[in-house]
Amino acid sequence: ITAEDNTKHVPLNHLSTEQAPFEVYNSFLSEYGVLGFEYGYAYAAPTTLTIWEAQFGDFVNNAQSIIDEYISSGYSKWGIKSSLIMLLPHGYEGQGPNHSSAHLERYLSLCADSNLRVIYPTKSVQYFHALRMQSKEILNKTPMIIMTPKSLLRHPFAASEIREFTEDNFKKIITYLPKSKNKINNLILCSGKIIIDLLDDELNSLSSNSAIISVEELYPFPKNEIINFLKKHKDINRFIWIQEEPKNRGAWQFVSNQLDKASLTNDFELEYCGSIQRASTSVGTSDLHKVQTETIAKLFKDIK
């Protein structure tokens, strides 16, 4: 609101004279109704970039039937293409069982025939290029689901240089190599916020022989990018997936199945590193959450 005449001023609507309008609406808490509306709006106005954000990822629970019946299968059923984007906060940050998980495993279980794009970006530039990629798509419009940890909003790790916004594109994987010149024997795969817990001094020590791949796009799964990495590093003899979610949740089951289908694990078995199976998506106390986070970090440091 301007001080002169109390009129509304939206800075993002004044970036250039040729830009599209920028509109923000704070919807009421009826995820079923609102997400259904946004799906229809994206279809009725195909030149717009329609984004729906859940306050917490689990808030989408009440809209699950919209996702199952329309968003994930609309093209297969009726030939309806949609570029709708769903932002679902997801990241185990000690906020309790119902404010930690967007149920990533649900959407991965729906993935087939290139019906969805499921990404978990860890850098601000990755988020930017994901939106840009979605807005530019014309022929192969696909709904996009983005896991968005709230703790990465202000975390220094997520910051990107200005040139990256103008020079780069969305990367399906981001590779982190040790500073040492040792041969790489261990390849650790992960996705999302847990990368912050893994990238510490241990990775950069002189004795480190581990590389980390952050899988930024879970579906379509970037098997070719991983294959190319393995071809360049032929000394790898351990293949490990690490996640912060319980073993029966998150991306573990989906990723292990994708790697099996891609025949990437013929020479060595994909190992799991992380929490055990649990009925609840996460624990109910921040103290126990901290213990679990430190335990996973220790398991990573013990990888030799």
Side-chain angles (χ1 to χ4, degrees):
I1 305 297
T2 60
E4 291 79 9
D5 53 10
N6 288 329
T7 58
K8 184 186 293 185
H9 178 76
V10 182
L12 290 177
N13 268 326
H14 300 276
L15 298 178
S16 72
T17 57
E18 300 177 354
Q19 73 175 74
F22 177 79
E23 300 172 313
V24 178
Y25 297 96
N26 188 17
S27 60
F28 60 98
L29 288 178
S30 172
E31 289 77 19
Y32 174 85
V34 174
L35 188 57
F37 173 85
E38 300 295 2
Y39 177 72
Y41 187 89
Y43 177 71
T47 59
T48 64
L49 183 64
T50 306
I51 303 174
W52 178 77
E53 181 179 25
Q55 183 176 1
F56 286 97
D58 65 289
F59 276 37
V60 79
N61 288 347
N62 293 326
Q64 192 63 37
S65 58
I66 295 294
I67 298 168
D68 292 344
E69 297 297 327
Y70 298 96
I71 295 175
S72 67
S73 57
Y75 181 74
S76 178
K77 290 177 177 178
W78 308 294
I80 295 177
K81 294 185 177 181
S82 174
S83 60
L84 175 67
I85 296 176
M86 295 169 52
L87 303 180
L88 305 181
H90 176 83
Y92 286 54
E93 295 155 343
Q95 298 191 62
N98 294 326
H99 290 332
S100 296
S101 177
H103 300 283
L104 172 61
E105 63 280 354
R106 287 181 185 171
Y107 310 107
L108 294 178
S109 71
L110 295 172
C111 291
D113 302 325
S114 300
N115 63 328
L116 295 170
R117 174 168 276 147
V118 181
I119 69 172
Y120 200 162
T122 57
K123 294 284 189 178
S124 56
V125 70
Q126 284 284 89
Y127 176 63
F128 169 79
H129 284 304
L131 298 183
R132 180 172 173 267
M133 175 174 60
Q134 190 76 341
S135 66
K136 293 176 63 178
E137 188 60 68
I138 298 176
L139 297 177
N140 299 314
K141 289 184 177 181
T142 305
M144 176 182 285
I145 296 173
I146 308 180
M147 299 288 120
T148 55
K150 292 196 172 187
S151 62
L152 286 187
L153 288 173
R154 297 178 179 85
H155 200 288
F157 176 85
S160 302
E161 297 182 12
I162 294 178
R163 62 170 182 81
E164 297 179 271
F165 291 87
T166 58
E167 297 176 1
D168 293 338
N169 294 300
F170 180 79
K171 298 176 182 178
K172 296 182 179 181
I173 65 172
I174 298 179
T175 303
Y176 298 93
L177 300 175
K179 292 181 179 179
S180 67
K181 302 300 182 180
N182 296 351
K183 293 180 179 180
I184 297 176
N185 301 122
N186 305 317
L187 176 58
I188 291 96
L189 300 181
C190 66
S191 187
K193 184 182 69 65
I194 194 173
I195 191 70
I196 298 174
D197 300 317
L198 303 185
L199 287 178
D200 57 10
D201 293 337
E202 181 73 15
L203 180 66
N204 297 322
S205 65
L206 294 176
S207 61
S208 177
N209 61 348
S210 299
I212 297 178
I213 288 181
S214 172
V215 181
E216 304 277 303
E217 180 178 84
L218 286 160
Y219 189 82
F221 190 72
K223 62 180 181 181
N224 291 333
E225 286 77 5
I226 297 176
I227 289 174
N228 291 336
F229 183 87
L230 290 173
K231 288 180 179 179
K232 294 178 182 178
H233 303 277
K234 299 184 180 298
D235 294 310
I236 293 175
N237 52 39
R238 289 190 72 186
F239 208 17
I240 304 164
W241 174 263
I242 295 182
Q243 67 178 35
E244 59 179 351
E245 301 92 344
K247 190 175 183 180
N248 56 320
R249 301 180 184 274
W252 157 246
Q253 295 180 9
F254 174 82
V255 169
S256 59
N257 183 49
Q258 292 294 313
L259 292 175
D260 285 341
K261 290 195 299 185
S263 300
L264 292 180
T265 56
N266 287 345
D267 297 327
F268 32 74
E269 180 182 358
L270 179 65
E271 303 175 38
Y272 173 81
C273 179
S275 298
I276 60 174
Q277 298 187 57
R278 290 199 301 265
S280 174
T281 54
S282 70
V283 295
T285 67
S286 57
D287 290 340
L288 185 53
H289 162 76
K290 182 178 179 181
V291 171
Q292 291 181 343
T293 301
E294 292 174 349
T295 300
I296 295 174
K298 184 179 185 301
L299 289 173
F300 167 69
K301 292 181 178 182
D302 289 341
I303 294 174
K304 302 298 182 181

